[in-house]
Amino acid sequence: MQRWHGLEDIPGDWGRSVVTIGSYDGVHRGHQVIIGRTVSRARELGVPSVVVTFDPHPLEVVRPGLHPPLLTPHPRRAGLLGELGVDAVLVLPFTTAFSQLSPADFAVKVLVERLHTIAVVEGPNFRFGHRAAGTVDTLAELGRTYGFEVDVVQLAAPGAAPPGAAGAAPAEQPFSSTLARRLIADGDVAGAARVLGRPHRVEGVVVHGARRGRELGYPTANLDTVPFSAVPADGVYAGWLTAAGERMPAAISVGTNPQFHGTDRTVEAYALDRTDLDLYGDHVAVDFLARLRGQETFDGIGALKARIAEDVDRTRELTR
């Protein structure tokens, strides 16, 4: 898969293509339907498929400080798109000047002049151009002018699920990044996984912490997470730690360590039965499978160690 950063990275001899445009943060199950249609349409027409996305998130430029929590950093997002069969990903630097392009100017500069678009695939709520003035109807009108078709794909929804079913997103809500973020913020990582189609992942570089985990017999990897990461609610989770290509069952703690009067919020992962790991400075990933409990304080270190042992046993069961 080709990866381009900015219009200037597109090869000069690039031919016709089928395109979809959006932030696509999370590459969730709703996104997967749109992207799948993009890939299949491109194959029907015998041309490459291209996903156009943005960095930073448009809201960070249009409304600074309102950047939503990040579900997938761009390298991870590109990898997920590649797994779906996308031929190229174009990341457009989203600047103030870029945000002021009219829908028509955006279509001409990106779709017509550089990607030579033959078809665009979008969801019904797609908006583009200055002040999000462009809609799928606008895009269809531009397509008639410039020679590309527009395929509108209805948003996918979870479908019927028993009320209160574990990990079930509300049946009436379509899959969306907003829904995934809300579930993650609530600590419902099982529900978020149902929206995403996989466990939610948080990435970061392993840094030195207070080393209390090692003192307790459970050494943890303390992550300096990617900025704006969507970190689950405080608590203890079962999941996996991936480092240097190795995926290991892990008990994960998110929070401020109130047992030790901590104030900084951390993400720490104990890889089960692995006391030999030296990951300082490594970029690692933590996947959240299930929430075991909320953040707690205990009556002494002995009670804390006993509860950690229970958490580890439960994690072992869930990650088999």
Side-chain angles (χ1 to χ4, degrees):
M1 184 184 71
Q2 298 191 51
R3 303 183 188 188
W4 309 318
H5 194 270
L7 295 174
E8 64 280 0
D9 273 1
I10 302 172
D13 60 351
W14 186 256
R16 305 302 296 273
S17 57
V18 175
V19 178
T20 186
I21 309 158
S23 291
Y24 286 121
D25 185 21
V27 195
H28 56 67
R29 290 171 65 185
H31 290 154
Q32 292 166 29
V33 172
I34 296 172
I35 294 163
R37 176 59 181 160
T38 303
V39 171
S40 64
R41 187 73 181 119
R43 290 174 179 169
E44 290 169 6
L45 296 171
V47 299
S49 55
V50 181
V51 171
V52 178
T53 187
F54 309 98
D55 186 30
H57 191 285
L59 275 181
E60 186 63 15
V61 174
V62 177
R63 297 180 181 177
L66 295 182
H67 190 302
L70 187 68
L71 296 170
T72 47
H74 277 284
R76 166 74 166 160
R77 199 177 310 176
L80 292 169
L81 293 170
E83 291 174 8
L84 294 174
V86 171
D87 295 303
V89 174
L90 168 61
V91 179
L92 291 176
F94 199 89
T95 63
T96 299
F98 186 86
S99 74
Q100 294 172 349
L101 288 177
S102 69
D105 286 344
F106 176 91
V108 170
K109 291 179 180 295
V110 178
L111 298 177
V112 179
E113 294 181 348
R114 302 311 299 262
L115 293 176
H116 310 296
T117 304
I118 193 171
V120 181
V121 181
E122 297 295 343
N125 298 329
F126 174 68
R127 305 300 291 260
F128 69 108
H130 185 51
R131 296 185 182 276
T135 66
V136 289
D137 291 334
T138 309
L139 194 61
E141 291 176 8
L142 291 165
R144 287 189 286 271
T145 299
Y146 294 106
F148 59 83
E149 64 181 59
V150 176
D151 187 354
V152 179
V153 178
Q154 293 305 308
L155 298 178
E172 70 277 6
Q173 298 186 53
F175 295 119
S176 70
S177 299
T178 299
L179 176 58
R181 292 185 188 105
R182 179 175 63 76
L183 293 168
I184 291 165
D186 290 344
D188 185 2
V189 294
R194 187 163 185 264
V195 175
L196 296 171
R198 64 185 180 280
H200 175 56
R201 170 173 289 189
V202 172
E203 300 182 30
V205 174
V206 178
V207 296
H208 290 278
R211 296 180 178 268
R212 293 195 184 97
R214 185 171 298 278
E215 293 170 4
L216 295 170
Y218 301 95
T220 60
N222 188 352
L223 275 66
D224 181 12
T225 57
V226 172
F228 300 115
S229 292
V231 176
D234 291 355
V236 177
Y237 299 82
W240 294 272
L241 170 68
T242 298
E246 183 179 3
R247 188 171 187 249
M248 299 164 278
I252 307 153
S253 173
V254 177
T256 58
N257 289 309
Q259 184 77 32
F260 300 99
H261 311 291
T263 56
D264 294 332
R265 194 162 186 253
T266 62
V267 177
E268 302 177 62
Y270 165 63
L272 270 56
D273 307 320
R274 297 296 299 271
T275 59
D276 59 328
L277 297 175
D278 182 3
L279 302 175
Y280 293 118
D282 290 358
H283 187 96
V284 303
V286 172
D287 294 313
F288 292 83
L289 173 64
R291 192 175 197 225
L292 303 181
R293 60 178 173 88
Q295 185 174 243
E296 302 176 47
T297 56
F298 298 89
D299 186 17
I301 299 300
L304 170 62
K305 292 178 70 172
R307 189 54 189 270
I308 293 175
E310 292 177 17
D311 296 334
V312 168
D313 288 343
R314 183 66 176 142
T315 297
R316 198 184 308 280
E317 294 173 4
L318 291 171
T319 55
R320 281 176 180 163

